[in-house]
Amino acid sequence: MTALPPIEAAKRLAAYAAVDRHVKPEHKVIGIGSGSTVPFVVDRIKEKGGNESRVFVPTGFQSQELIVMAGLNLGDVSQYPVIDVTIDGADEVDAHLNSIKGGGACQLREKVLAEAAETWIMVADYRKNSQILGETWTQGIPIEVAPFAYVSVLRKLAALGSPTTPEASTACGAQGKVLTLRMGKAKAGPVVSDNGNFIVDAPFPREMMLKPAELLTKIKLLTGVVEVGLFCNLAKAAYFGNEDGSVTARLADGSVETLKAE
Ligand SMILES: O=C(CO)[C@H](O)[C@H](O)COP(=O)(O)O
């Protein structure tokens, strides 16, 4: 196997373990998530073969390109509303398999494919394996917002408790991060999602992050919010590649397995 930098190697370990466990020969419709871990998922699926009679459904532009470049059959969730298994990355996963997603601004399509899947699996490196959301992913919950409503949504998120000054953020345990409209890196102006919407990153007080499903409901009810990057009660398992070459598998029933390095 090619030598990779440690974090990339950890991502690959997680992705390979998840494919080996959850993509079964009888699975014909497979969801492919977004981010930098997912290319290893596609590599493994390609390597294992048997894909001629399968269809792969992407969560966004990046995964669509991955599927096409790998020579796999591309499908759409409107053609395949029931997916056998979707494997996706995550920005942080808590002790109960709730997660923050949307670091790549794909959370709307990612959630549609997570909910469409009989089995939804997360893959990540060890840095994402957390107890409480917001511990390591400090920039806030990614929220997809209708562009014309973003100022109104920012005001409502602030009223809900998302801090707008570093002082308030530090005081409430949100690690100094503030409510922000996500801006492009090589583009003037805001990040625009694959669906033409803006992304707001909203940190919340630690006590609110302890109850992610409750927080998700509150944010989702704000007019102008399209989707929230909190994924609660959806995952069957999460796989984390570790620095020592092992993989930690955390399952929905709370059990934890360590898959030893080969
Ligand atoms: O939610 C996502 C994109 O919206 C990604 O799955 C998440 O950001 C994880 O990415 P990576 O595998 O690069 O850590």
Side-chain angles (χ1 to χ4, degrees):
M1 222 185 275
T2 329
L4 291 173
I7 296 288
E8 296 306 304
K11 292 177 187 177
R12 180 169 64 185
L13 284 167
Y16 278 32
V19 170
D20 291 354
R21 277 241 179 136
H22 296 282
V23 180
K24 308 254 167 67
E26 64 271 24
H27 289 160
K28 297 300 173 202
V29 184
I30 315 242
I32 299 293
S34 310
S36 59
T37 313
V38 162
F40 297 115
V41 170
V42 174
D43 286 351
R44 186 60 160 178
I45 286 173
K46 183 126 197 262
E47 191 177 300
K48 294 187 82 173
N51 295 310
E52 299 71 20
S53 59
R54 285 180 169 152
V55 172
F56 295 84
V57 182
T59 51
F61 180 85
Q62 179 226 354
S63 45
Q64 178 175 309
E65 292 285 288
L66 278 175
I67 293 165
V68 171
M69 297 307 285
L72 301 171
N73 301 319
L74 182 68
D76 189 86
V77 73
S78 56
Q79 292 169 286
Y80 300 97
V82 180
I83 294 172
D84 291 311
V85 56
T86 294
I87 303 184
D88 202 345
D91 296 308
E92 188 173 12
V93 182
D94 77 5
H96 307 288
L97 294 192
N98 300 308
S99 59
I100 295 178
K101 288 184 50 55
C106 299
Q107 67 267 35
L108 171 59
R109 294 184 190 213
E110 289 174 334
K111 199 173 275 186
V112 170
L113 263 69
E115 291 178 353
E118 307 276 0
T119 300
W120 186 60
I121 302 295
M122 295 183 283
V123 288
D125 64 75
Y126 55 90
R127 298 172 302 172
K128 318 288 183 74
N129 187 358
S130 211
Q131 286 300 305
I132 299 165
L133 297 180
E135 275 180 345
T136 58
W137 183 263
T138 56
Q139 73 186 52
I141 300 166
I143 303 171
E144 184 158 350
V145 174
F148 81 94
Y150 89 90
V151 174
S152 157
V153 172
L154 283 173
R155 286 169 60 85
K156 288 173 181 164
L157 287 167
L160 202 57
S162 187
T164 56
T165 66
E167 296 74 22
S169 174
T170 303
C172 74
Q175 306 200 46
K177 295 292 169 33
V178 297
L179 179 61
T180 311
L181 176 66
R182 194 183 293 178
M183 302 305 278
K185 290 262 161 60
K187 166 193 180 284
V191 167
V192 177
S193 75
D194 288 350
N195 317 302
N197 296 315
F198 290 173
I199 304 294
V200 167
D201 290 301
F204 277 93
R206 187 181 150 83
E207 69 199 53
M208 294 178 84
M209 298 303 285
L210 286 168
K211 296 176 183 160
E214 270 180 32
L215 183 56
L216 164 59
T217 305
K218 287 182 181 154
I219 301 172
K220 190 83 186 262
L221 283 173
L222 302 178
T223 304
V225 166
V226 178
E227 194 47 79
V228 185
L230 280 173
F231 286 51
C232 300
N233 307 315
L234 283 170
K236 291 260 168 50
Y239 291 79
F240 303 95
N242 297 318
E243 281 173 298
D244 65 1
S246 68
V247 174
T248 300
R250 290 181 27 212
L251 312 184
D253 64 7
S255 60
V256 182
E257 286 176 52
T258 303
L259 316 177
K260 296 283 179 220
E262 282 171 14

